Amino acid sequence: MVDKSYEAIVIGAGPGGYPAGIRLGQLGVKTLVVDKEYYGGVCLNWGCIPSKALIAAANTYQDLAKLETMGIRVEGASIDVGKLQDWKDGIVQKLTSGVKGLIKANKADSVIGTAKIVAKNRVEITLPDGKKELVEASKGIVVATGARVIQIPGMEIDGQTIISAREAVSLREAKGTMVVVGGGVIGMELGMVYQKLGMQVIVVELLPQILNGVDTDMVKVVQKAFEKTGGKVHVEHKVEKIERHPGGGAKVTIASKDGKTFAVDADKVLMAIGFKPNSEGLGLAEVGVKLDPRGHLVVNERLETSVPGIYAIGDVIGAPYLAHKATKEGEVVAEVIAGHKAAVDWRAMPSAIFTEPEIATVGLSETAAKEAGRAVKMAVRHTDGFVKTIVDAKTHEVLGVGIVGPEASDLISEASLAIEMCAFAEDVHLTVHPHPTLGEAVMESFKHALGEAIHVLNK
Ligand code: FAD
């Protein structure tokens, strides 16, 4: 006997699940959103939002030193990391409670409980008091359960000395040394925060460069800026051993590719080697949902899994692990369940890295365009950072843009729109951009790709 009947059930209230629930509600589909822990998922609780709040504060603190050159003197500046965390917690609290309200305002229901699929159209929910409810979904079930931190056996997260991003966004002190294991996006963003707040940060990366997957010329700008603030980077190195000290902290043994080792005394070790999908314990195998070798749910462009009526969105279906990708998929899956013709198009999915300076990309990178054998024209305009424009050599169709520099995460939206609209380089080149703005660098880069730049030499 089912306890409740809905048309759609969304499992997970992260940036994938809650927009799906909201949009389903807007479309008149009777929907229940269920989350086992909190509203807003990783992004709002210990991911995007708290990390960006800390990044903004750390940048402001560091920029105080630069004010002197403008003639502004700030004397005796200091930072109270505990108070900074209280401010950040306030932002998180406001946003997460807002999510619950938005779901309700859009006429969808929500509940805290752990969900398990027990049949193709049924979900069992274990409520916080242990009671179980059987809920039916006549039109579709959406799996939006996200991903979790990967741990290295023997170096498990203890929450005190060996920490993940979850604890790193809530440290109430920034003293001593932090070893960051993994120089990916999260390792570099949080590493830069704590370097600016006063720690000595050492990044250990197994691969030949940090921020793997991003064009090397863009990465170099960020690494240089990090090292300028005193941060250290060891590429082609790995953390071999972590020996915890009884009173806190640890001895971290780091080995180079050729086997040479050295040890560092660390107060905190931030494990940032990646994420894996939350696809276990959901009853997926029992109903026949197909997974890829890494455990992601396999979906088509309508976000439907191998089982009709079971859909999946967000981190649980694979990279890029980004909140706005999850949200877009949430909106699309709602349209699909409501019976509309809809499909996702991942071509114009931007990506932003909130290091200093920021990196933002959309479409094909230079490396990917070359690997795909595309004949492309490229323009790179250098200032403090640069804009890199990749256009088809013959048609001038915009294929990709990469920006490294201040406000890159905002500037990239123009390039995303260009790719989404199948625009040509001329479209951006001929669009007048107000002066003096950073947006002009994007316009100039497209002019440069066409050999018509005004402020840089055309080659
Ligand atoms: P999640 O946010 O993981 O949400 C999944 C939800 O499902 C969770 O709330 C979980 O409790 C729930 N759940 C899991 N299993 C069950 C179950 N059985 N029953 C009920 N509920 C369940 N992305 C960006 O785009 N920009 C950024 O700047 C950015 N910064 C980040 C910084 C950090 C430090 C981290 C860790 C991540 C960051 N990300 C960023 C990534 C972003 O947080 C994720 O891509 C995003 O949260 C994925 O959304 P999701 O809805 O797929 O999953």
Side-chain angles (χ1 to χ4, degrees):
M1 263 298 281
V2 292
D3 297 298
K4 283 178 189 154
S5 292
Y6 283 90
E7 289 176 294
I9 299 173
V10 182
I11 306 175
Y18 84 75
I22 288 173
R23 189 72 192 118
L24 281 159
Q26 289 172 353
L27 292 165
V29 179
K30 193 175 176 226
T31 300
L32 174 68
V33 179
V34 49
D35 198 289
K36 66 176 182 183
E37 198 176 354
Y38 37 39
Y39 290 90
V42 169
C43 179
L44 269 68
N45 289 280
W46 53 275
C48 335
I49 300 303
S51 65
K52 265 78 253 178
L54 297 183
I55 289 167
N59 288 351
T60 306
Y61 181 50
Q62 203 200 28
D63 286 349
L64 291 178
K66 296 182 194 160
L67 293 179
E68 190 87 38
T69 52
M70 292 182 196
I72 303 168
R73 196 167 305 127
V74 184
E75 273 161 16
S78 65
I79 188 149
D80 178 339
V81 179
K83 208 163 173 191
L84 164 60
Q85 292 295 358
D86 293 341
W87 168 74
K88 181 260 319 178
D89 289 345
I91 296 171
V92 169
Q93 168 62 28
K94 210 168 164 183
L95 291 180
T96 50
S97 55
V99 166
K100 191 178 175 195
L102 279 172
I103 296 173
K104 195 172 171 211
N106 283 283
K107 302 194 171 50
D109 289 343
S110 68
V111 66
I112 293 291
T114 303
K116 186 177 175 186
I117 300 174
V118 290
K120 286 176 187 177
N121 61 345
R122 282 183 188 180
V123 172
E124 181 188 79
I125 300 172
T126 307
L127 300 169
D129 62 6
K131 282 195 192 119
K132 290 187 192 298
E133 273 188 353
L134 190 59
V135 189
E136 186 178 53
S138 58
K139 288 189 173 162
I141 295 171
V142 181
V143 180
T145 49
R148 64 185 183 285
V149 171
I150 296 178
Q151 304 215 32
I152 305 175
M155 301 182 195
E156 283 83 6
I157 287 152
D158 59 29
Q160 295 298 321
T161 297
I162 307 182
I163 59 173
S164 72
R166 188 167 187 152
E167 294 80 28
V169 295
S170 292
L171 295 182
R172 297 191 71 85
E173 240 187 30
K175 284 192 187 131
T177 301
M178 175 185 275
V179 172
V180 178
V181 188
V185 174
I186 291 171
M188 287 312 298
E189 286 185 354
L190 292 175
M192 278 186 143
V193 165
Y194 283 102
Q195 180 65 39
K196 286 177 193 166
L197 294 183
M199 294 186 88
Q200 169 63 65
V201 175
I202 302 167
V203 176
V204 184
E205 169 57 56
L206 195 64
L207 298 171
Q209 74 165 41
I210 55 168
L211 301 173
N212 180 42
V214 180
D215 284 344
T216 308
D217 51 355
M218 305 180 89
V219 172
K220 272 187 187 160
V221 178
V222 169
Q223 183 167 336
K224 208 171 131 197
F226 177 56
E227 287 169 341
K228 212 171 148 190
T229 60
K232 292 196 176 124
V233 175
H234 296 283
V235 291
E236 295 189 309
H237 278 70
K238 69 171 183 182
V239 168
E240 212 168 59
K241 213 178 358 170
I242 304 175
E243 293 159 278
R244 268 169 265 217
H245 301 314
K251 180 180 163 193
V252 182
T253 306
I254 299 165
S256 69
K257 211 169 62 166
D258 50 17
K260 284 192 193 114
T261 62
F262 63 97
V264 171
D265 250 327
D267 296 86
K268 300 283 174 199
V269 182
L270 169 59
M271 300 303 282
I273 57 162
F275 278 72
K276 63 178 180 185
N278 290 326
S279 54
E280 292 132 12
L282 283 166
L284 297 172
E286 291 83 338
V287 288
V289 172
K290 210 172 133 192
L291 304 181
D292 75 10
R294 292 194 52 210
H296 299 113
L297 280 74
V298 178
V299 294
N300 61 20
E301 73 287 353
R302 296 174 67 249
L303 300 158
E304 197 162 25
T305 67
S306 53
V307 176
I310 300 185
Y311 302 84
I313 58 172
D315 285 2
V316 79
I317 66 169
Y321 285 9
L322 291 169
H324 49 270
K325 170 191 161 281
T327 298
K328 184 76 212 166
E329 291 166 353
E331 289 165 357
V332 170
V333 85
E335 302 287 338
V336 170
I337 293 174
H340 301 167
K341 214 172 161 192
V344 268
D345 175 4
W346 288 282
R347 234 171 13 109
M349 193 61 69
S351 155
I353 305 174
F354 295 86
T355 43
E356 199 189 16
E358 295 178 353
I359 294 180
T361 56
V362 64
L364 289 182
S365 66
E366 178 191 352
T367 318
K370 283 182 181 158
E371 277 169 11
R374 300 285 304 243
V376 294
K377 272 176 178 279
M378 272 212 358
V380 178
R381 176 160 150 63
H382 283 267
T383 47
D384 263 352
F386 58 83
V387 179
K388 183 155 49 169
T389 307
I390 296 137
V391 302
D392 186 282
K394 230 187 196 164
T395 64
H396 299 174
E397 186 189 345
V398 182
L399 299 177
V401 174
I403 306 173
V404 56
E407 318 295 341
S409 56
D410 277 322
L411 294 173
I412 201 68
S413 295
E414 179 178 19
S416 300
L417 180 67
I419 293 179
E420 163 69 25
M421 294 184 69
C422 302
F424 298 97
E426 287 82 353
D427 292 313
V428 187
H429 153 37
L430 294 171
T431 305
V432 181
H433 288 59
H435 179 75
T437 60
L438 291 167
E440 286 176 282
V442 178
M443 172 185 68
E444 190 77 12
S445 172
F446 278 96
K447 288 184 199 267
H448 195 199
L450 298 170
E452 295 176 27
I454 302 292
H455 299 100
V456 279
L457 282 182
N458 295 296
K459 286 195 197 124

